[in-house]
Amino acid sequence: MDRSIALILTPSEAPFGDPRCLRSSPPPLTLGVLQAYLRSRGCAVRSTDLNTRLAGVLDPSDPQRWLPLYDEERVLHHLLDGGPTGLEDVLDQLLGQCRVEGSDVVGISTGTSMSFFEIHLALLLGRRIQNETGLPVVFGGCNLDYLWQFRAAFRRLWDAMLSAFQYLFVGPGERSFADLVSGSDRHPDAAFYQGLPGAVYSRNGELVRNPDGAPTLIRPDFAGLDLSHYTLCTQERQPIADSIETNLVHYYQWPVTRALAVSDDNRRKLRESDRRETLFVPHIFHHQCPYRCAFCVQSGSNGHSPVGRDPESVVDDLEALMAEHGTRYLRFFNNAINSSVPFLRTFCDLVTTRGLECYWSDCARFDTLTEDLVDRLYRAGCRKLVFGLDSASERILNLIDKRLNVDQARRVLRWCHDRGIWAEVEVIVGLPHEHEEDFQATYAFVADHLERGHLTGFHLNRYFVVPTSLLGQRPEHYGIRIHQSPDGYAATLRQGSAVLSTLVNPHRAPQRIHAYQYRLWTYSEVAGRTAEQIARETEDKYQRMAALAAPARIPRDHSVLSNAAARV
């Protein structure tokens, strides 16, 4: 193809909350996958991860300089007519960090955090690049999918984007991006672009999104990116087996905030010969879920069949990634490692027979795991699994079609604990028709397994309606009514501005920022609670459940070894 492409990952506001935040995250997987695929198609690719450049370039202490990002009219006016942004100096400094000279095409990721700091900044950067260089700019990223799902609330923004830019892709976009770049040799017209999977465009005044393309699931290529911002400081002193077990406790068992503190301590206290800056390399080799839980974004009619790589090529990938980055430690981002039991058996056997010394985490489901599979997982290096429990109420599980047996969940957690695999669960409070007794069933399940040591933690979520879920598409079937916010765009921007002001407050301790979202859709129950009642009860449940995540559960001794050390 012989085309030169510049890729830019727009920064998030997270570094303002805690400059160390990148160390709690793996390198940007989507950028690594896109870069790898474009290079496999013969493109020369230069990428810029602006998250790693933000803190060093800009002084974030004054929130006023960033507030124009949350000014709806100013941003829309700039996209449509080129009006002033109020961020000209910021855009100049960021653009100076991006390697776009000599490129044929520029690709910009709008980010992943449902954050208008990311979205608006990406659009303003794209407009500046397009105006100054005349290069075509291609947009993608998870945030575009968020904008699409709630496109009624963000219709003005979509109109402005489609007026300012020609190419916007939603969903897995690496194949479409490569095809577009290849087609640009022939000066493609609008019809060519509008035939590509995931393309978004306007037709007769209506927004159109083509069906998503299939993901490549290619091995990520991070070459050319500065990965030093994503490392954690691990112990490497003798005996090395003890150091490995300590690292596993710190970086797989313990919560991320505690892990960051340990990493800082290692840098300060350990001799240079006894420590190492280590990359925890991400990979994904399964996409989509075979189940249709009613609350899930993948459950609606737009869902796609699961796709995955064969186990031999996945293990080849792991060997290559471990050798390239000199690491034993990996983090997988699959929907569920056990979505295919034949795959899982072969994968585990290959890792074991090849003698790979790797350790990893992933998500899993309870239903297809057996004691034998848990043993295979452990021997293949699995040290942490996150399960989608969501609720321990049989009534709620049936309502959302979770297809989960609570007794099976208990057995799997016991097997994981006995074998040495740490387990966490996802919990959702505020699901439709969740009564107090339903909440108590979930609360008791989590509390009991924390007490037993069968859980090392849990991830707590407030339910909100997603338009592409079954609950969003068929609310009457579930006995609920949907209420759409009349000023969703403006309200989301107000919330984002408030979050940023809190993050840059010099009088507060460093903190992590989580994905945040104004509730663009709320719901009431046809024969039950109002939306206001549901919101109050959900917040009460959230606070009660959150109290179970007591810091006292985390060991204070950084040198502690796990019980699993005796079972290696």
Side-chain angles (χ1 to χ4, degrees):
M1 188 182 299
D2 193 28
R3 305 286 284 174
S4 179
I5 300 175
L7 298 179
I8 300 170
L9 176 61
T10 190
S12 79
E13 59 269 57
F16 296 165
D18 187 345
R20 307 170 303 165
C21 70
L22 296 184
R23 299 196 185 280
S24 67
S25 306
L29 181 56
T30 53
L31 192 58
V33 167
L34 179 57
Q35 184 167 261
Y37 185 72
L38 290 172
R39 285 173 174 164
S40 76
R41 293 278 298 267
C43 297
V45 182
R46 294 181 298 174
S47 296
T48 304
D49 175 5
L50 284 177
N51 283 300
T52 66
R53 309 291 182 91
L54 191 61
V57 172
L58 304 172
D59 175 13
S61 59
D62 179 13
Q64 296 300 318
R65 74 180 307 188
W66 298 98
L67 291 183
L69 281 176
Y70 303 98
D71 186 330
E72 176 181 353
E73 297 304 324
R74 186 190 293 256
V75 170
L76 296 181
H77 180 54
H78 179 73
L79 293 179
L80 291 169
D81 304 316
T85 65
L87 291 163
E88 279 70 23
D89 60 331
V90 170
L91 296 175
D92 286 342
Q93 290 178 288
L94 288 176
L95 189 55
Q97 298 294 309
C98 300
R99 300 180 295 171
V100 301
E101 64 282 353
S103 300
D104 299 302
V105 180
V106 177
I108 299 180
S109 170
T110 58
T112 62
S113 301
M114 297 186 291
S115 156
F116 273 93
F117 184 96
E118 295 175 327
I119 295 168
H120 280 173
L121 189 53
L123 297 175
L124 296 183
L125 277 171
R127 188 78 152 85
R128 174 66 67 89
I129 291 170
Q130 192 170 265
N131 289 347
E132 293 190 356
T133 67
L135 294 173
V137 178
V138 182
F139 288 91
C142 294
N143 280 333
L144 284 188
D145 186 69
Y146 162 65
L147 293 181
W148 176 262
Q149 289 186 55
F150 295 99
R151 56 193 176 278
F154 302 124
R155 180 58 194 259
R156 294 185 69 210
L157 179 58
W158 273 110
D159 288 343
M161 288 192 296
L162 291 170
S163 173
F165 307 110
Q166 194 171 358
Y167 308 117
L168 299 105
F169 290 105
V170 178
E174 51 266 34
R175 298 181 195 274
S176 291
F177 194 162
D179 289 343
L180 178 70
V181 173
S182 176
S184 66
D185 292 331
R186 303 184 299 274
H187 304 288
D189 56 15
F192 178 86
Y193 163 69
Q194 293 175 10
L196 294 173
V200 180
Y201 49 93
S202 178
R203 178 188 292 157
N204 299 324
E206 296 295 326
L207 296 180
V208 178
R209 170 184 175 175
N210 288 347
D212 290 354
T216 62
L217 302 178
I218 195 171
R219 181 176 75 237
D221 179 359
F222 299 109
L225 293 172
D226 181 2
L227 302 180
S228 64
H229 299 268
Y230 294 96
T231 61
L232 291 165
C233 188
T234 56
Q235 291 189 19
E236 297 293 326
R237 56 189 174 190
Q238 298 296 328
I240 195 64
D242 287 352
S243 288
I244 290 173
E245 282 303 313
T246 299
N247 293 333
L248 293 175
V249 170
H250 290 166
Y251 300 125
Y252 289 95
Q253 180 187 12
W254 288 6
V256 65
T257 50
R258 189 69 174 162
L260 287 174
V262 170
S263 183
D264 289 344
D265 280 355
N266 286 345
R267 290 189 186 94
R268 289 194 302 267
K269 297 178 180 179
L270 295 181
R271 294 179 302 178
E272 187 172 351
S273 59
D274 292 339
R275 56 182 166 83
R276 188 171 185 274
E277 292 297 327
T278 301
L279 199 66
F280 287 62
V281 178
H283 196 16
I284 181 171
F285 39 88
H286 286 305
H287 184 72
Q288 295 288 357
C289 178
Y291 298 87
R292 300 185 71 194
C293 303
F295 63 85
C296 179
V297 65
Q298 296 181 9
S299 65
S301 58
N302 295 326
H304 298 273
S305 300
V307 295
R309 299 270 302 284
D310 65 272
E312 290 81 5
S313 65
V314 171
V315 177
D316 289 344
D317 284 353
L318 301 190
E319 284 193 282
L321 289 169
M322 292 167 63
E324 180 180 356
H325 299 287
T327 186
R328 305 179 181 92
Y329 307 106
L330 304 156
R331 300 194 193 278
F332 302 154
F333 290 88
N334 302 300
N335 284 92
I337 186 67
N338 58 324
S339 59
S340 167
V341 171
F343 169 92
L344 182 60
R345 286 199 183 100
T346 305
F347 169 80
C348 290
D349 290 348
L350 284 170
V351 172
T352 304
T353 55
R354 291 194 195 181
L356 293 189
E357 187 187 11
C358 62
Y359 306 96
W360 49 271
S361 60
D362 204 352
C363 296
R365 281 187 60 95
F366 289 115
D367 53 344
T368 62
L369 284 181
T370 63
E371 193 167 9
D372 173 68
L373 284 174
V374 170
D375 180 67
R376 289 172 186 254
L377 283 163
Y378 181 85
R379 293 183 182 279
C382 178
R383 291 300 182 269
K384 180 179 178 179
L385 291 174
V386 180
F387 295 93
L389 173 71
D390 305 324
S391 174
S393 162
E394 295 285 1
R395 192 178 68 84
I396 295 299
L397 292 173
N398 290 333
L399 174 72
I400 62 176
D401 195 22
K402 183 66 181 180
R403 304 186 188 185
L404 184 155
N405 181 284
V406 176
D407 288 336
Q408 168 71 357
R410 293 190 178 97
R411 287 191 292 270
V412 170
L413 292 178
R414 184 179 71 249
W415 294 334
C416 288
H417 173 265
D418 292 346
R419 194 61 187 92
I421 296 176
W422 295 299
E424 297 177 349
V425 292
E426 295 277 358
V427 173
I428 301 175
V429 294
L431 285 162
H433 310 291
E434 181 186 62
H435 301 152
E436 179 63 22
E437 56 268 29
D438 302 307
F439 169 77
Q440 286 297 332
T442 307
Y443 183 95
F445 182 99
V446 173
D448 177 58
H449 287 86
L450 285 171
E451 190 65 32
R452 292 171 183 266
H454 294 179
L455 285 177
T456 59
F458 61 98
H459 303 271
L460 184 56
N461 309 278
R462 299 174 181 88
Y463 173 68
F464 65 92
V465 184
V466 180
T468 55
S469 68
L470 284 171
L471 278 161
Q473 293 183 349
R474 300 173 58 195
E476 67 287 344
H477 177 78
Y478 297 93
I480 63 174
R481 295 189 183 94
I482 301 298
H483 308 279
Q484 299 187 33
S485 171
D487 64 341
Y489 190 9
T492 306
L493 292 176
R494 287 195 297 270
Q495 184 190 37
S497 175
V499 168
L500 182 65
S501 296
T502 299
L503 289 176
V504 299
N505 182 346
H507 302 296
R508 57 127 188 95
Q511 64 188 62
R512 294 184 73 220
I513 180 172
H514 300 276
Y516 61 88
Q517 179 199 39
Y518 178 79
R519 297 300 185 250
L520 294 164
W521 282 19
T522 58
Y523 74 92
S524 59
E525 294 166 352
V526 173
R529 301 170 296 170
T530 66
E532 292 73 21
Q533 286 177 301
I534 291 168
R536 289 194 301 269
E537 291 181 15
T538 298
E539 189 60 29
D540 174 66
K541 293 169 184 173
Y542 184 94
Q543 297 302 327
R544 283 187 282 161
M545 184 68 75
L548 287 175
R553 296 184 184 277
I554 305 301
R556 295 293 182 181
D557 181 4
H558 290 184
S559 65
V560 67
L561 293 181
S562 72
N563 292 331
R567 297 190 284 273
V568 173

